[in-house]
Amino acid sequence: MIRSGVMRAMIFRQYGNPKDVLHLVTDQKIPEPKANEVLVKTETCSINAADRIMVRANYFIIRLLLGLFKPAKSNSILGMDVAGTIHAIGKNVENFRIGDSVVADISQSYGGGFAEYTIVKS
């Protein structure tokens, strides 16, 4: 289950080659689901073209979305596609229960799947 409010995650604090800028941290705060959100324990995730484009930020529009010179802390975890198990539910969530297995596209949140836990909008 959740261990003392922290999780492991692959983060990036600057743009560039993924092998140079992605780092594993072990003290990332576990997010809490808000209304219409669920907390998913990530079982698996994929690396797709959007992740590669975002970490490199070769297009100016990416920098406008994530941060001009470096990614904002809220956008520092990539991973657009996740599969896992629901561990917590926010208010107004009716169609899901704790323990349900889910698959989600979280690209509208700019990612978050390269972590042990991620927020998914219900």
Side-chain angles (χ1 to χ4, degrees):
M1 194 79 180
I2 298 174
R3 58 184 200 319
S4 60
V6 295
M7 65 179 177
R8 294 177 296 172
M10 290 295 294
I11 65 164
F12 71 114
R13 297 279 189 231
Q14 61 188 34
Y15 301 117
N17 187 321
K19 70 178 184 176
D20 297 329
V21 300
L22 284 174
H23 304 283
L24 177 66
V25 296
T26 58
D27 61 350
Q28 187 78 19
K29 184 178 181 289
I30 295 174
E32 294 185 26
K34 298 176 185 158
N36 302 310
E37 295 178 339
V38 296
L39 178 68
V40 174
K41 179 172 185 350
T42 305
E43 304 291 334
T44 189
C45 64
S46 68
I47 300 172
N48 64 34
D51 297 311
R52 183 178 45 86
I53 290 168
M54 289 174 68
V55 75
R56 291 179 186 273
N58 291 339
Y59 303 102
F60 189 68
I61 188 71
I62 299 299
R63 290 178 182 260
L64 288 177
L65 291 171
L66 300 182
L68 192 56
F69 299 107
K70 63 181 182 176
K73 276 191 170 187
S74 61
N75 297 326
S76 65
I77 303 175
L78 297 172
M80 307 297 157
D81 309 308
V82 297
T85 307
I86 295 177
H87 272 250
I89 295 175
K91 292 181 182 180
N92 305 326
V93 175
E94 298 176 3
N95 298 325
F96 298 100
R97 303 284 176 251
I98 292 174
D100 285 354
S101 295
V102 293
V103 175
D105 171 357
I106 55 175
S107 58
Q108 289 185 344
S109 305
Y110 302 116
F114 294 173
E116 289 183 290
Y117 297 89
T118 190
I119 293 293
V120 175
K121 293 183 184 193
S122 65

